[in-house]
Amino acid sequence: MSTPASIEARNISVKLGTKQILSDISVSFREGEMVGLLGPNGAGKTTLMRALLGLVESAGAIHFDGTSVAEMDAKTRGRRIAYLAQGGAVHWPLTVQSLVELGRLPHKTPWQGTNQEDEAIIEDVLRQTGTFEFRDRVVTHLSGGERARVMLARALASKAPFLFADEPAAALDPRYQLEMMSLLKAHVSHEHGAVVVMHDLNLAQHFCDRLIVISDGNLVADGSPEEVLNDALLMSVFGVTATRWSEAGDSFIVPKSIVDP
């Protein structure tokens, strides 16, 4: 059995202009777990994700299976980590099939077409995400929920060991939120790893194996949902109290009231 892929980040700091965005953050990720990245707006979650992807300049060290990410070119990084950016805007009238094919680019030389392996992978991720039936439709004509699944299919087509997703359930209705998080969880169950920026505490508790909390550019918690989402952290980091209950073996948490500073 092969050793699970891993990402190790040590002492990551990011400064944009004169503003310190992240300060000395150390985190690690493994295949087989879904990690939620939480924190208030402006805490540095997306910046940390972009630093781990090599998309923003940072101090510190980031290694994928012992190899420095700084030494990898963009195509190599694309084969190791798939990125589902926030919003998933599509401005070109591509078909679903054509857009998902773009997920195979890290495995291609310039102008190389798709082969049988690519076609099998593309069909597989289209079926996984429930988008196969409208593979010939133009992406810009899809609903928000349908488009979100197509963008996920494109990311999955890379077959990267890790998937980084920035607020993949944002702006979706409750059904599509659950559908998106379920698809990500199913992906992780197939021995991949996922790191997901999110705000919904209940979805984070229900779907994530581990939670990392960033506040004011600092790491303030890293552990299981039960360990991290305690009353003290919710009040100090998010400024809220929460209602909790259990039903049919599942635990639920919903913000209840604002805590005055």
Side-chain angles (χ1 to χ4, degrees), residues 7 9 14 21 56 64 70 104 106 113 125 135 139 145-146 155 157 160 162 190 223 232:
I7 298 173
V14 174
I21 307 299
V56 64
F64 187 103
R104 299 299 299 159
V125 297
R135 63 191 180 279
V139 177
E146 290 170 337
F162 284 95
H190 289 89

Side-chain angles (χ1 to χ4, degrees), residues 10 21 51 58 84 88 93 105 120 122 133 152 179 206 217-218:
R10 292 290 174 261
I21 307 299
S58 63
L84 186 57
L105 286 180
I122 291 164
E133 62 270 24
L152 176 59
E179 188 174 71
H206 185 69
N218 296 288

Side-chain angles (χ1 to χ4, degrees), residues 70-175:
E71 298 175 1
M72 297 178 182
D73 59 28
K75 182 171 285 191
T76 301
R77 291 198 303 269
R79 291 195 294 266
R80 303 291 184 87
I81 306 172
Y83 180 38
L84 186 57
Q86 185 175 346
V90 180
H91 303 289
W92 295 96
L94 297 172
T95 66
V96 169
Q97 176 90 15
S98 297
L99 183 64
V100 174
E101 284 179 5
L102 296 177
R104 299 299 299 159
L105 286 180
H107 301 273
K108 299 291 182 184
T109 58
W111 310 112
Q112 183 180 1
T114 57
N115 56 32
Q116 287 186 334
E117 180 185 9
D118 296 324
E119 291 171 358
I121 289 170
I122 291 164
E123 180 175 342
D124 181 54
V125 297
L126 287 171
R127 292 189 183 280
Q128 282 182 47
T129 55
T131 55
F132 182 80
E133 62 270 24
F134 49 83
R135 63 191 180 279
D136 295 323
R137 289 176 59 187
V138 176
V139 177
T140 51
H141 296 170
L142 301 178
S143 71
E146 290 170 337
R147 189 165 57 250
R149 284 186 285 151
V150 171
M151 300 304 288
L152 176 59
R154 184 182 71 169
L156 297 182
S158 72
K159 290 297 180 181
F162 284 95
L163 171 63
F164 283 11
D166 192 354
E167 298 194 48
L172 299 181
D173 65 37
R175 176 189 174 90

Side-chain angles (χ1 to χ4, degrees), residues 2-39:
S2 60
T3 302
S6 65
I7 298 173
E8 300 284 344
R10 292 290 174 261
N11 309 114
I12 303 303
S13 296
V14 174
K15 195 172 186 178
L16 299 179
T18 59
K19 186 175 181 180
Q20 192 73 37
I21 307 299
L22 298 176
S23 301
D24 201 32
I25 291 180
S26 295
V27 290
S28 63
F29 307 101
R30 299 285 185 275
E31 281 184 304
E33 67 174 358
M34 184 163 168
V35 180
L37 191 54
L38 306 182

